[in-house]
Amino acid sequence: MAGTAKVAVAGPRSVALIGPYGSGKSALFDALIAAAAGGQVRRSGDARKHVATTEVRLGHCSFLGDRWSIVDCPGSVEFAYEAEAALAAVDFAVLVCEASATKLASLPLLFRSLENLGLPHLVFVNKIETLASPFDELLTALRAQSKYPLAPRQLPVRQGDAVAGYVDVVRGQAYRYGTNQSAEAIDFPADLREPEKHALDGLAEVLADQDDALLEKLIEEIAPTPAEIYQHLRKDQAKGTIVEVLLGSAMLGQGIFPLWKALRHDVPDSKETAARRGIGPSGEPLVQIFKTVQAGKLSYGRVWRGPLRDSAVFDGVRVGSIHRYSGNEAQRIPEAEAGELTGLGRLEGAPTGAILGHPGEGESLHFPQPKPPVFALAIKAKDRKDDVKLPAALQKLTAEDPSLGIVHDAATGETLLTGQGDIHLNSAIDRLATLYNLQIATSPPKIGFKETIKRKVQQHSRYKRQTGGHGQFADVKLEIEPRHRGEGFLFTDKIVGGAVPKQYIPSVQDGAEEALQKGPFGYPVVDVAVTLVDGSFHTVDSSDMAFKIAARQGISEGLGKAEPVLLEPVEHVTVSVPNSATAAAQRLLTGRRGQILGYAERPGWPGWDDVEALVPAAELHDLITQLRSETQGLGHYRRRFDHLAEARGMMP
Ligand SMILES: Nc1nc2c(ncn2[C@@H]2O[C@H](COP(=O)(O)OP(=O)(O)OP(=O)(O)O)[C@@H](O)[C@H]2O)c(=O)[nH]1
Ligand SMILES: [Mg+2]
């Protein structure tokens, strides 16, 4: 029978479900697993409350005798690293999308990730029962984003306004959706004859682009048989040079069986993936960790080379247990074979991204780099007693999720937790509470203000004490003057004739530097020159201490008269947005006291712009929140310190 040609796949294969936030990946995960078990998808009839996925979920099942590992990925951009890491581990991805403008807007990021990885993928148009706009419009929008040609395998069949079934383009057969696997063949709708022919011709053409023999046939106007089409589809889809498009409703269990069949036929063998990634078939077991959870008690890994046996030891790291997740249960297995994604228990010291075993010569195991942080919170333990536990817990947290970071801000003395947004950080803080019993207080990070002066002053300072025995005496005349921004501190000794003996000069400098650590506004003073021009001493009462105190007092007093000003850090910010939002991004930056330096097309990102600006750090704390809300979650930015600038009209 056409379409059910024997598939020569031996081992287990893996698929990641990715897609925009809320597009129905978790619902599809449940539907796929339920359908594989021959069961019914829970069919509530109306959408349940959306619970956003924040950590990848791994599940296992068998479909028609083939074994599968499925990964449900979070859609939120704040958890994008989770998905990227999972993509590095699987054989194939299903891009779950829905026909909503806001959701479609985030597709370029996802397509780019897949294409950069060279990971074959198909598109599953979910929530098909709600599709109101013409299907062609959706295809056009999808085509604009994908580097590789799209191949719609199905067309929606409407009944009134609702989508009630689909046409299988290759088979030329129409179906009415039932629940789960029970789609029922119906008469071919007359109005779909033309679109179906068009889709089939388009498909053949796309396939012929990859195959000369097929191309010749088409030129001679010999129609390929369905079996030939399936064969080419399999080859091109597994290579990733074509992107099939399938339809369905995860919630209603519609279109799940055809999706399963497409996966069964077209997902490459795990050995093909390993070969594509440069990993040879023979050698010692090789496993890559793509996720650690529960404070390192559990890891998810891809077995690139097997078999992986329970209790195997890799460079001192022992595999405590191997798990498979069928249904809701974790089941312990004695070994896992190449191509499986498994849960690994108690892998001490193997963070996300870790490789167990040794890649052979020329083998490389790519793993994604986390994106630079765009959001930070100052954190501290609510209970001082927990201060000792905090560093170790934070270290584990960042090993679990490398897109989190810990920064000790020397300027403010704060510990900062950095990451991809407030939801991301708050979920990390929740984990600190649940896994480590650490209650954390957060606040927006303090700004590392500095001070400087604008006027040169002379300051005379004398320190004199007479208390009992011998006293204290030091006397200095100092010049304090501004330097250019960034020039730093300079101390000059201009004493002549020993008015201040040589041995005391370093103490004068020490005293000056101490005073500069806290200026009139309470912040460190920078870019100041201090010159010791004159002074006097006492043979008995003078001391290092006395000169240090005299200098410190002199500077503290002098700074107040030298027109002190507050300096704030200004950062060089590069905002990346789709060009429809370039003007909005510029407005947003100027609204935050930013000075626009210019904008240009973003290299390698068609339709995107980079806007460069200088923006005070004090304005950047929640920039990402506003940027995302104005760009449907797409905009992001990078920042780096640029310079200190006078903070005009700003109260310290
Ligand atoms: N109408 C309709 N709603 C659906 C369908 N699939 C999922 N939903 C609903 O859409 C919402 C989001 O579904 P999820 O499966 O949680 O989406 P997700 O892609 O996993 O979301 P994130 O994990 O946050 O990225 C839920 O309210 C679901 O009930 C569908 O086929 N049709
Ligand atoms: Mg989800």
Side-chain angles (χ1 to χ4, degrees), residues 99-123:
S100 117
T102 43
K103 304 282 172 72
L104 290 172
S106 61
L107 288 182
L109 298 168
L110 298 165
F111 274 118
R112 283 315 80 76
S113 294
L114 294 166
E115 289 156 6
N116 291 342
L117 259 177
L119 189 70
H121 51 279
L122 64 73
V123 171

Side-chain angles (χ1 to χ4, degrees), residues 19-24 95-107 123-142 156 158 161 163 245-249 632:
Y21 175 77
S23 58
L95 182 48
V96 183
C97 76
E98 62 182 293
S100 117
T102 43
K103 304 282 172 72
L104 290 172
S106 61
L107 288 182
V123 171
F124 183 75
V125 179
N126 190 34
K127 309 192 184 181
I128 195 69
E129 84 281 12
T130 66
L131 181 74
S133 53
F135 184 56
D136 267 351
E137 259 172 36
L138 175 63
L139 277 181
T140 307
L142 289 170
R158 291 181 198 266
D161 284 342
V163 173
V245 180
L246 294 157
L247 318 176
S249 166
Q632 304 175 331

Side-chain angles (χ1 to χ4, degrees), residues 386-639:
D386 286 339
D387 280 352
V388 284
K389 275 165 56 186
L390 190 56
L394 290 175
Q395 205 210 330
K396 283 199 174 163
L397 205 64
T398 51
E400 264 185 38
D401 178 356
S403 66
L404 288 170
I406 305 295
V407 178
H408 296 284
D409 187 335
T412 61
E414 290 182 322
T415 299
L416 304 183
L417 179 63
T418 67
Q420 305 304 314
D422 57 344
I423 306 172
H424 184 217
L425 295 198
N426 283 318
S427 107
I429 285 159
D430 284 349
R431 281 210 298 285
L432 285 174
T434 51
L435 295 175
Y436 302 93
N437 198 20
L438 278 171
Q439 306 301 322
I440 300 293
T442 66
S443 53
K446 287 196 191 121
I447 301 302
F449 288 113
K450 299 273 165 56
E451 301 177 22
T452 193
I453 51 168
K454 297 184 75 169
R455 206 157 65 84
K456 176 174 174 175
V457 293
Q458 281 225 354
Q459 183 67 39
H460 180 205
S461 173
R462 169 172 288 196
Y463 180 63
K464 196 173 171 199
R465 285 280 180 285
Q466 208 63 56
T467 44
H470 80 82
Q472 295 281 346
F473 181 87
D475 179 284
V476 288
K477 255 197 199 132
L478 302 161
E479 271 177 16
I480 313 168
E481 60 187 307
R483 302 190 78 199
H484 288 117
R485 205 62 349 95
E487 282 183 350
F489 170 66
L490 178 71
F491 179 80
T492 315
D493 160 26
K494 281 200 181 153
I495 294 292
V496 284
V500 175
K502 275 263 169 290
Q503 84 235 42
Y504 295 135
I505 308 277
S507 299
V508 174
Q509 177 166 355
D510 283 355
E513 286 187 28
E514 238 176 58
L516 292 174
Q517 282 169 17
K518 208 169 191 182
F521 303 125
Y523 297 103
V525 182
V526 297
D527 302 338
V528 165
V530 171
T531 310
L532 176 60
V533 288
D534 200 0
S536 60
F537 72 105
H538 186 280
T539 37
V540 179
D541 290 348
S542 281
S543 66
D544 280 337
M545 181 55 79
F547 271 98
K548 189 169 165 180
I549 293 172
R552 195 169 68 204
Q553 287 177 348
I555 298 293
S556 291
E557 218 177 308
L559 286 173
K561 301 177 201 161
E563 245 186 76
V565 287
L566 193 65
L567 294 176
E568 61 173 338
V570 173
E571 312 238 333
H572 184 122
V573 174
T574 306
V575 171
S576 304
V577 287
N579 53 25
S580 57
T582 305
Q586 287 176 318
R587 267 198 309 280
L588 197 156
L589 291 166
T590 40
R592 288 174 181 247
R593 297 191 286 135
Q595 177 199 338
I596 307 287
L597 300 174
Y599 71 95
E601 272 177 29
R602 175 155 208 221
W605 286 63
W608 282 60
D609 282 339
D610 277 346
V611 181
E612 314 250 352
L614 294 172
V615 189
E619 303 284 341
L620 291 176
H621 172 57
D622 62 350
L623 176 71
I624 191 66
T625 316
Q626 199 186 353
L627 187 58
R628 285 188 179 136
S629 86
E630 299 208 2
T631 57
Q632 304 175 331
L634 294 176
H636 49 105
Y637 76 94
R638 298 184 301 282
R639 61 189 277 185

Side-chain angles (χ1 to χ4, degrees), residues 22 24-27 50-54 57 72-75:
K25 298 172 293 297
S26 298
H50 173 207
V51 182
T53 306
T54 59
R57 185 159 62 126
D72 175 20
C73 298

Side-chain angles (χ1 to χ4, degrees), residues 311-359:
S311 305
V313 179
F314 295 89
D315 289 338
V317 176
R318 184 174 169 278
V319 176
S321 53
I322 308 178
H323 304 274
R324 200 176 274 160
Y325 306 93
S326 308
N328 288 327
E329 276 166 40
Q331 136 207 13
R332 217 174 141 166
I333 54 173
E335 69 172 56
E337 68 179 288
E340 256 189 287
L341 310 189
T342 60
L344 304 170
R346 296 190 308 279
L347 275 186
E348 288 297 329
T352 297
I355 293 163
L356 308 180
H358 298 279

